[in-house]
Amino acid sequence: MVTEPVRILVVGGGYVGMYTALRLQRQLKAELRSGAVEITVVAPDPYMTYQPFLPEAAAGSISPRHVVVPLRRVLGQCRIVIGEADRIDHARRTATVTTLASPEDGTGTVRLTYDELVLAPGSVSRTLPVPGLADYAIGFKTVEEAIGLRNHVIEQMDIASSTRDPAIRDAALTFVFVGGGYAGVEALAELEDMARYTARYYHNIRPEDLKWILVEASDRILPEVGEEMGRYAIRELRARNIDVRLETRLDSCENRVAVLSDGARFPTRTVVWTAGVKPAPVLAATDLPLTERGRIECTAELRVAGTEHAWAAGDAAAVPDLTSDEKGKECAPNAQHAVRQAKVLAENIASAVRGGELKEYRHKYVGSVASLGLHKGVAHVYGRRLKGYPAWFMHRAYHLSRVPTFNRKARVLAEWTLAGLFKREIVSLGSLEHPRAEFEIAAGGGPPAKGPAPHDD
């Protein structure tokens, strides 16, 4: 009698998805070898992005290819399906997936069946109905956005250096970032650092000509590092002539003019939106229980509440925080919890497959670190507060230890070492956005039509 293999479906290739599949490969090595278990990973991209390194990639401190980890290389025992999970019917144990080939072969979506489901689709940018936002703003969650933003900033400096129109020059040199969390503050700080350095190579642009504006709706930035370090971060940014506006919202960015709730108006060609995230849309297309905020209800064992054979962790999951005295408190949706939850999740799934005991996820939040540019940072770790170079060094050391695979650790460390020996790269590769442009012109066509993306002229 032939026994059917246990089919494990992992939806998502981010922190939780990749780390869970990677650990399952080790935990279930014998079962995978014998064919008793099959693991399928569905992810929209063939790589996992280590998002804490995106600001450094945008600033040119790290090569973009070293910010990502190829799934096929590290998950050699898994079947990788590149596509989007559109719907999950857990009652029937099926997932509907749109693959890259779906539009090409005309066969439509693919239905995958499973026995155990791991939901780890992560989150997407949370946008608001701000006029002009969809037309002119750019996010900061993907490596493509990070590199596009770097190219865009340098291109704006080229425009400002070349134009004779003071209004165009002023708009080109004005950069508005919305959101005072990790993504917004680190991206702004790293890019301002890079642009200030780049200005020395322009004969008619001085660092003080560049206008950087951080817009935050609450009364503080970087809440994860504590109030004291948040105030220090504001002082540090303002000392660099960065305009930090608290308790302020972006009301509009139509016609390339950023209008703020305090009445200020800034003509600008750059609006970066980092004002929060929301659960991935696929969660709403499942028959699994969700919280008011749209996250999956989970138990401390990382099982979906009231459901058998379904698991979740990371940004998409509402996991109870067993270390908190506050009743009903959930684990924060951050990388620190995601990586640790993935370890417990994989061990629990392996135990469930083998009929063993499950364990609860329990991790006390130890603190946070944030970079404010080269050699500058803030940290609040194990009750200790650090700032300046020590905090920046801790930021790099921590994330170097967390980036997956020895290959990536070695490459990132090598790049940091070389960056300390040589000058920054100040090249904009804006043509990456339209790689066929020159050929189309040579072939007799006109230049490709450009949409209103922020990097366009």
Side-chain angles (χ1 to χ4, degrees), residues 273-419:
W273 182 269
T274 63
V277 296
K278 62 181 180 181
V282 67
L283 300 189
T286 71
D287 53 354
L288 300 173
L290 304 180
T291 66
E292 293 181 356
R293 295 185 177 182
R295 300 167 74 192
I296 302 173
E297 290 186 19
C298 289
T299 66
E301 293 85 6
L302 304 177
R303 270 184 162 165
V304 177
T307 307
E308 295 292 325
H309 308 293
W311 314 76
D315 290 0
V319 179
D321 186 354
L322 300 183
T323 65
S324 175
D325 296 329
E326 184 181 339
K327 185 178 180 180
K329 185 176 181 181
E330 300 169 356
C331 294
N334 56 39
Q336 187 177 140
H337 281 299
V339 173
R340 288 170 172 83
Q341 286 174 0
K343 178 181 177 181
V344 175
L345 178 56
E347 292 175 355
N348 280 351
I349 293 173
S351 294
V353 170
R354 294 168 176 165
E357 295 291 324
L358 306 183
K359 65 179 183 180
E360 296 178 331
Y361 172 74
R362 186 186 299 268
H363 172 68
K364 189 171 181 59
Y365 193 62
V366 299
S368 299
V369 291
S371 169
L372 298 178
L374 191 62
H375 301 158
K376 297 174 282 290
V378 291
H380 187 188
V381 182
Y382 292 112
R384 298 190 61 184
R385 298 177 178 85
L386 299 174
K387 57 188 179 182
Y389 185 87
W392 172 83
F393 182 82
M394 178 175 287
H395 172 270
R396 280 201 162 182
Y398 173 78
H399 287 300
L400 183 65
S401 71
R402 292 301 173 186
V403 69
T405 77
F406 176 78
N407 180 304
R408 283 296 176 272
K409 295 180 196 295
R411 290 177 183 271
V412 169
L413 183 59
E415 287 200 308
W416 282 343
T417 303
L418 291 173

Side-chain angles (χ1 to χ4, degrees), residues 38 104 121 147 183 187 201 212 345 428 440:
E38 294 177 354
E104 301 291 336
I147 304 313
Y201 296 100
W212 298 83
L345 178 56
S428 166
E440 287 180 0

Side-chain angles (χ1 to χ4, degrees), residues 39-351:
I39 304 174
T40 300
V41 178
V42 175
D45 299 303
Y47 51 80
M48 184 275 270
T49 302
Y50 192 73
Q51 292 186 348
F53 279 160
L54 288 183
E56 292 206 46
S61 299
I62 301 177
S63 172
R65 66 183 184 278
H66 298 157
V67 177
V68 299
V69 180
L71 295 180
R72 297 186 192 281
R73 175 178 292 178
V74 298
L75 302 179
Q77 303 302 311
C78 301
R79 175 193 176 197
I80 308 297
V81 177
I82 305 304
E84 294 277 359
D86 301 320
R87 179 171 181 77
I88 294 173
D89 186 347
H90 189 63
R92 292 184 171 85
R93 303 289 197 274
T94 60
T96 304
V97 178
T98 300
T99 69
L100 288 180
S102 296
E104 301 291 336
D105 59 20
T107 57
T109 56
V110 176
R111 294 185 66 190
L112 301 177
T113 57
Y114 60 84
D115 299 300
E116 300 286 341
L117 173 68
V118 178
L119 266 178
S123 57
V124 298
S125 294
R126 176 177 60 86
T127 59
L128 298 175
V130 176
L133 187 69
D135 297 322
Y136 298 110
I138 184 174
F140 200 79
K141 276 188 66 65
T142 69
V143 67
E144 293 86 358
E145 288 174 330
I147 304 313
L149 186 56
R150 168 187 169 80
N151 291 335
H152 171 72
V153 168
I154 298 177
E155 284 178 358
Q156 297 313 300
M157 296 178 70
D158 289 335
I159 292 172
S161 177
S162 305
T163 185
R164 297 180 181 180
D165 188 327
I168 293 178
R169 174 186 169 90
D170 183 59
L173 295 181
T174 300
F175 307 94
V176 178
F177 286 68
V178 183
Y182 276 125
V185 172
E186 291 192 337
L188 183 150
E190 291 283 356
L191 284 165
E192 188 276 337
D193 220 4
M194 182 269 293
R196 183 161 24 89
Y197 174 87
T198 303
R200 70 178 66 181
Y201 296 100
Y202 290 82
H203 71 283
N204 58 350
I205 296 180
R206 299 170 300 170
E208 53 266 31
D209 293 336
L210 283 79
K211 187 183 299 180
W212 298 83
I213 303 156
L214 178 63
V215 179
E216 169 54 40
S218 70
D219 61 352
R220 59 195 291 193
I221 66 171
L222 297 175
E224 297 88 352
V225 299
E227 188 174 352
E228 181 181 339
M229 289 296 94
R231 288 197 299 267
Y232 167 80
I234 292 175
R235 292 196 301 270
E236 167 67 24
L237 294 176
R238 286 174 172 166
R240 290 157 58 178
N241 206 30
I242 297 172
D243 186 356
V244 180
R245 296 181 176 240
L246 303 178
E247 299 184 275
T248 306
R249 300 179 309 279
L250 176 69
D251 284 345
S252 171
C253 58
E254 284 185 306
N255 302 318
R256 297 190 183 277
V257 177
V259 180
L260 307 185
S261 60
D262 60 4
R265 297 170 62 90
F266 297 99
T268 178
R269 300 169 63 86
T270 310
V271 175
V272 182
W273 182 269
T274 63
V277 296
K278 62 181 180 181
V282 67
L283 300 189
T286 71
D287 53 354
L288 300 173
L290 304 180
T291 66
E292 293 181 356
R293 295 185 177 182
R295 300 167 74 192
I296 302 173
E297 290 186 19
C298 289
T299 66
E301 293 85 6
L302 304 177
R303 270 184 162 165
V304 177
T307 307
E308 295 292 325
H309 308 293
W311 314 76
D315 290 0
V319 179
D321 186 354
L322 300 183
T323 65
S324 175
D325 296 329
E326 184 181 339
K327 185 178 180 180
K329 185 176 181 181
E330 300 169 356
C331 294
N334 56 39
Q336 187 177 140
H337 281 299
V339 173
R340 288 170 172 83
Q341 286 174 0
K343 178 181 177 181
V344 175
L345 178 56
E347 292 175 355
N348 280 351
I349 293 173
S351 294

Side-chain angles (χ1 to χ4, degrees), residues 5-8 28 31-39 77 353:
V6 176
R7 298 160 299 180
I8 302 174
L28 301 172
E31 288 85 348
L32 285 167
R33 190 182 299 118
S34 66
V37 169
E38 294 177 354
I39 304 174
Q77 303 302 311
V353 170

